[in-house]
Amino acid sequence: MVIGGDGYCGWATSLHLSNKNYEVAIVDNLVRRHFDDQLGLDSLTPISSIHDRIRRWRSLTEKDINLYIGDVCDFEFLSEAFTSFKPDAVVHFGEQRSAPYSMIDRSRAVYTQQNNVLGTLNVLFAIKEFGEDCHLVKLGTMGEYGTPNIDIEEGYITITHNGRTDTLPYPKQASSFYHLSKVHDSNNIAFTCKAWGIRATDLNQGVVYGVRTDETEMHEELYNRFDYDGVFGTALNRFCVQAAVGHPLTVYGKGGQTRGYLDIRDTVQCVELAIANPAKRGEFRVFNQFTEQFSVNQLASLVTKAGEKLGIEVQTTSVPNPRVEAEEHYYNAKHTKLIELGLQPHLLSDSLLDSLLNVAVQFKDRVDTKQIMPSVSWRKIGAKPKTVSA
């Protein structure tokens, strides 16, 4: 069962698992498409409806994907989906995934935490009630850890204090209401593993880039979404679109912000590895899911070089940072557990950057340049609902 299977990570994962002969059900309330309507945004790539996507997949592969349209915050609906499909594993992507969205105004901050925390609680209760052996594979975020001045471990850290030693959950320093919702999720999951014997894997994912996987390449109706706007777009995808339309790359502040990154093809590979090697009953595993670390300035320089090869002159500009974050900091995060399970990373190569830039160039007529600059300020968030002018 892939909750959030219509979204960016969820759609790619659903197709990948179906292609690997897993029986797949997508559970989704399609709210991600509604966010675009709310905010006047659109995917760079044209995306088909979930029904057309699934029909096309069936016609190409003769593989069926089950579809349950509804909200995991509605326990009655979720119970029905669980008892009907009887999943052996649940991959939970079904959350509001944007830090800027959670910082638009009070109502979106509240929505993000209600949707994410209560939805995950419902999933935990559904597993306890209807499938206690079911393995939860939950998408977390590297943003739970913040940017501490020590190495980031995978979920746990061994500390010696006043002569005593213990292994404890790694300290969390979330930097938005979205990231905090993921921290609350992790705590709830860890507790239910201990109290109820649930088996769970928390995938603390870095920043995802790319748009193509083997499966989404098979037909234009299977295309994945590609967000480039200031609310849902991720750094590298945004830079490629900015380069394609001749907009200066928007580096926030000093540009030393360093994070873990991974290709969407590795997202689907990591989820598959977690499912194929499940956690034990009562175990709460944490994997840091990324393949390389880059600063924003490094990404800008890579895109500039790739642009030159394609005859695109790329400029960079520093814009005031809308976020509250360290712009120059130490960052060294461990990420060995997925490699040990067999992850074969697609590292950020010239060829991948070329193909990403080419996608951006191919669809550049669909770019709304008004959506490129950041419009959400961490410090200016208020209680009054923020409206969007057309």
Side-chain angles (χ1 to χ4, degrees), residues 16-307:
H16 179 76
L17 294 174
S18 177
N19 209 20
K20 295 282 184 175
N21 297 319
Y22 283 91
E23 189 184 339
V24 175
I26 287 175
V27 173
D28 205 301
N29 64 353
L30 311 185
V31 74
R32 176 66 191 84
R33 295 172 186 258
H34 177 55
F35 295 153
D36 278 356
D37 294 339
Q38 267 183 17
L39 301 174
L41 310 175
D42 202 357
S43 163
L44 175 75
T45 44
I47 55 170
S48 300
S49 74
I50 187 62
H51 298 89
D52 287 344
R53 282 173 151 185
I54 288 174
R55 274 196 291 267
R56 177 59 61 188
W57 179 247
R58 185 187 304 125
S59 78
L60 288 169
T61 64
E62 298 183 349
K63 293 175 192 291
D64 267 322
I65 291 178
N66 296 274
L67 179 62
Y68 298 86
I69 292 181
D71 192 336
V72 295
C73 290
D74 171 0
F75 191 71
E76 200 176 331
F77 159 76
L78 184 62
S79 304
E80 179 55 39
F82 252 81
T83 50
S84 157
F85 186 66
K86 301 184 174 58
D88 300 308
V90 172
V91 182
H92 185 15
F93 291 118
E95 301 203 310
Q96 192 296 99
R97 65 159 174 91
S98 160
Y101 187 89
S102 76
M103 302 301 291
I104 290 174
D105 55 23
R106 184 207 64 84
S107 68
R108 266 107 172 185
V110 169
Y111 170 81
T112 298
Q113 297 220 343
Q114 275 182 335
N115 179 77
N116 295 4
V117 178
L118 303 185
T120 296
L121 258 183
N122 276 349
V123 171
L124 291 166
F125 271 97
I127 290 172
K128 182 177 192 289
E129 291 294 312
F130 309 116
E132 57 182 21
D133 210 37
C134 179
H135 176 209
L136 173 62
V137 178
K138 166 70 167 57
L139 194 76
T141 168
M142 287 298 295
E144 290 190 31
Y145 299 119
T147 53
N149 199 33
I150 57 171
D151 289 354
I152 295 172
E153 304 297 329
E154 298 202 61
Y156 298 90
I157 185 168
T158 302
I159 294 173
T160 300
H161 180 64
N162 291 346
R164 301 185 71 82
T165 299
D166 202 353
T167 298
L168 299 166
Y170 196 96
K172 304 294 173 72
Q173 299 182 83
S175 60
S176 73
F177 290 120
Y178 152 73
H179 289 101
L180 283 159
S181 75
K182 293 287 197 178
V183 173
H184 305 327
D185 285 340
S186 295
N187 288 331
N188 283 337
I189 298 166
F191 168 69
T192 57
C193 288
K194 202 179 287 180
W196 304 340
I198 280 177
R199 52 173 92 223
T201 303
D202 207 2
L203 299 173
N204 281 341
Q205 182 166 257
V207 184
V208 190
Y209 57 80
V211 67
R212 292 178 162 153
T213 57
D214 290 347
E215 293 79 19
T216 63
E217 282 288 82
M218 288 164 66
H219 193 278
E220 60 188 15
E221 279 192 309
L222 302 180
Y223 280 174
N224 204 352
R225 64 180 309 122
F226 186 119
D227 299 303
Y228 63 88
D229 58 87
V231 177
F232 286 97
T234 54
L236 186 59
N237 285 357
R238 270 169 62 70
F239 281 176
C240 288
V241 171
Q242 289 167 9
V245 298
H247 190 290
L249 308 188
T250 51
V251 170
Y252 294 174
K254 293 176 182 168
Q257 302 92 313
T258 301
R259 302 288 185 269
Y261 287 80
L262 79 163
D263 189 308
I264 184 113
R265 291 173 295 178
D266 291 340
T267 294
V268 302
Q269 205 188 149
C270 291
V271 172
E272 185 195 354
L273 285 166
I275 293 168
N277 302 277
K280 300 184 191 78
R281 286 294 299 270
E283 182 186 13
F284 178 57
R285 299 189 299 190
V286 182
F287 296 161
N288 290 346
Q289 182 167 306
F290 70 96
T291 56
E292 296 174 275
Q293 291 183 181
F294 296 106
S295 72
V296 175
N297 285 331
Q298 286 172 316
L299 288 182
S301 133
L302 287 166
V303 172
T304 304
K305 285 196 193 102

Side-chain angles (χ1 to χ4, degrees), residues 44 240-248 312 360-361 363-365 367 369 372:
L44 175 75
C240 288
V241 171
Q242 289 167 9
V245 298
H247 190 290
I312 303 171
V361 169
F363 293 109
K364 71 178 185 180
D365 292 347
V367 174
T369 51
I372 287 177

Side-chain angles (χ1 to χ4, degrees), residues 337-358:
K337 291 182 181 177
L338 283 158
I339 300 283
E340 285 161 11
L341 285 182
L343 171 64
Q344 296 180 315
H346 295 84
L347 300 181
L348 183 55
S349 61
D350 292 349
S351 62
L352 179 95
L353 264 178
D354 289 352
S355 87
L356 255 186
L357 270 171
N358 281 323

